[in-house]
Amino acid sequence: CSSRTSNMSSMFEKQIVIDARGHLLGRLASIVAKQLLTGQKVVVVRCESINISGSFYRNKLKYKEFLRKRCNVNPANGAFHFRAPSRIFWRVVRGMLPHKSARGAEALKRMKVFEGVPPPYDKIKRVVVPEALRIIRLKPYRKYCTLSRISDEFGWKYKEVVETLEDKRRAKAQEYYNAKKKSAQIRAQATEKVDAAMGDVVKTLAQYGY
């Protein structure tokens, strides 16, 4: 699944599909939030592969502290602690939007988040955001962890299911790519044969300006 870079500051499309693998959580969320406020529709896939700077143990303690925050009178009133990686990312973006105003609420509706790459987004071109990539933004010796590991630690039950589905999707995509590559080779060979056979005709036509 190839990805192209997205210059999100100057781009406005009907819908942008972002492959979140290898992006830093806060940096990606801030860029997505800004785009949502301008009216752009954004779909974020593979949220389970988002990276968080800092060691796993440090981020585990931070999330544990977050779980303590609740309504003392009736915990069912909130705060709500999401476990799924896609919902954790959604909540981070929500915190960067004025979601209690009409403008912010509408902006939040323009975003969709998923674990893995479900249909129809597996057949749509996905982009990356260079400004948020860990490999570019984080120094090589700095520790980091993945969102899926944090989620799995605190009760997300679908890590293995998502991994299985992703393996199937990747295998299917590889088959499609191999078939496409073979078809392109056959087409190129056929074109060469036709060109060789029609060489004299092409020269004659060229004399008459065709």
Side-chain angles (χ1 to χ4, degrees), residues 5 7 31 77 126 133 171:
T5 57
N7 183 11
I31 292 167
N77 289 342
R126 298 181 288 283
L133 284 172

PDB file of all heavy atoms in Angstrom, residues 5 7 31 77 126 133 171:
ATOM      1  N   THR A   5       3.026  11.837  -0.066  1.00  0.00           N
ATOM      2  CA  THR A   5       3.023  12.882   0.951  1.00  0.00           C
ATOM      3  C   THR A   5       1.915  13.874   0.677  1.00  0.00           C
ATOM      4  O   THR A   5       1.521  14.097  -0.453  1.00  0.00           O
ATOM      5  CB  THR A   5       4.375  13.619   0.972  1.00  0.00           C
ATOM      6  OG1 THR A   5       4.624  14.149  -0.323  1.00  0.00           O
ATOM      7  CG2 THR A   5       5.488  12.679   1.383  1.00  0.00           C
ATOM      8  N   ASN A   7       0.683  17.789   1.165  1.00  0.00           N
ATOM      9  CA  ASN A   7       0.943  19.168   1.547  1.00  0.00           C
ATOM     10  C   ASN A   7      -0.376  19.777   1.990  1.00  0.00           C
ATOM     11  O   ASN A   7      -1.085  20.418   1.231  1.00  0.00           O
ATOM     12  CB  ASN A   7       1.536  19.934   0.363  1.00  0.00           C
ATOM     13  CG  ASN A   7       1.900  21.355   0.734  1.00  0.00           C
ATOM     14  OD1 ASN A   7       1.900  21.717   1.917  1.00  0.00           O
ATOM     15  ND2 ASN A   7       2.202  22.161  -0.261  1.00  0.00           N
ATOM     16  N   ILE A  31      -2.616  18.887  13.129  1.00  0.00           N
ATOM     17  CA  ILE A  31      -2.754  19.173  11.690  1.00  0.00           C
ATOM     18  C   ILE A  31      -4.156  18.803  11.202  1.00  0.00           C
ATOM     19  O   ILE A  31      -4.789  19.544  10.447  1.00  0.00           O
ATOM     20  CB  ILE A  31      -1.663  18.429  10.893  1.00  0.00           C
ATOM     21  CG1 ILE A  31      -0.289  19.031  11.220  1.00  0.00           C
ATOM     22  CG2 ILE A  31      -1.923  18.507   9.397  1.00  0.00           C
ATOM     23  CD1 ILE A  31       0.880  18.210  10.755  1.00  0.00           C
ATOM     24  N   ASN A  77     -21.634   9.583  34.384  1.00  0.00           N
ATOM     25  CA  ASN A  77     -21.735  10.917  33.766  1.00  0.00           C
ATOM     26  C   ASN A  77     -20.444  11.304  33.024  1.00  0.00           C
ATOM     27  O   ASN A  77     -20.415  12.296  32.316  1.00  0.00           O
ATOM     28  CB  ASN A  77     -22.028  11.975  34.843  1.00  0.00           C
ATOM     29  CG  ASN A  77     -23.438  11.856  35.388  1.00  0.00           C
ATOM     30  OD1 ASN A  77     -24.294  11.232  34.756  1.00  0.00           O
ATOM     31  ND2 ASN A  77     -23.695  12.418  36.560  1.00  0.00           N
ATOM     32  N   ARG A 126      -3.850   6.625  -0.219  1.00  0.00           N
ATOM     33  CA  ARG A 126      -3.649   7.156   1.120  1.00  0.00           C
ATOM     34  C   ARG A 126      -2.423   8.059   1.154  1.00  0.00           C
ATOM     35  O   ARG A 126      -1.473   7.842   0.399  1.00  0.00           O
ATOM     36  CB  ARG A 126      -3.493   5.995   2.125  1.00  0.00           C
ATOM     37  CG  ARG A 126      -4.736   5.119   2.183  1.00  0.00           C
ATOM     38  CD  ARG A 126      -4.598   3.991   3.185  1.00  0.00           C
ATOM     39  NE  ARG A 126      -3.694   2.940   2.790  1.00  0.00           N
ATOM     40  CZ  ARG A 126      -3.977   1.993   1.896  1.00  0.00           C
ATOM     41  NH1 ARG A 126      -5.148   2.008   1.265  1.00  0.00           N
ATOM     42  NH2 ARG A 126      -3.103   1.057   1.619  1.00  0.00           N
ATOM     43  N   LEU A 133       5.529  12.923  10.914  1.00  0.00           N
ATOM     44  CA  LEU A 133       6.169  11.609  10.908  1.00  0.00           C
ATOM     45  C   LEU A 133       7.217  11.493  12.014  1.00  0.00           C
ATOM     46  O   LEU A 133       8.051  12.380  12.184  1.00  0.00           O
ATOM     47  CB  LEU A 133       6.826  11.338   9.558  1.00  0.00           C
ATOM     48  CG  LEU A 133       5.880  10.962   8.410  1.00  0.00           C
ATOM     49  CD1 LEU A 133       6.648  10.928   7.098  1.00  0.00           C
ATOM     50  CD2 LEU A 133       5.210   9.623   8.656  1.00  0.00           C
ATOM     51  N   ALA A 171      -1.908  -9.269   2.012  1.00  0.00           N
ATOM     52  CA  ALA A 171      -1.711 -10.389   1.088  1.00  0.00           C
ATOM     53  C   ALA A 171      -2.531 -10.186  -0.185  1.00  0.00           C
ATOM     54  O   ALA A 171      -2.051 -10.418  -1.309  1.00  0.00           O
ATOM     55  CB  ALA A 171      -2.100 -11.703   1.767  1.00  0.00           C
TER      56      ALA A 171
END
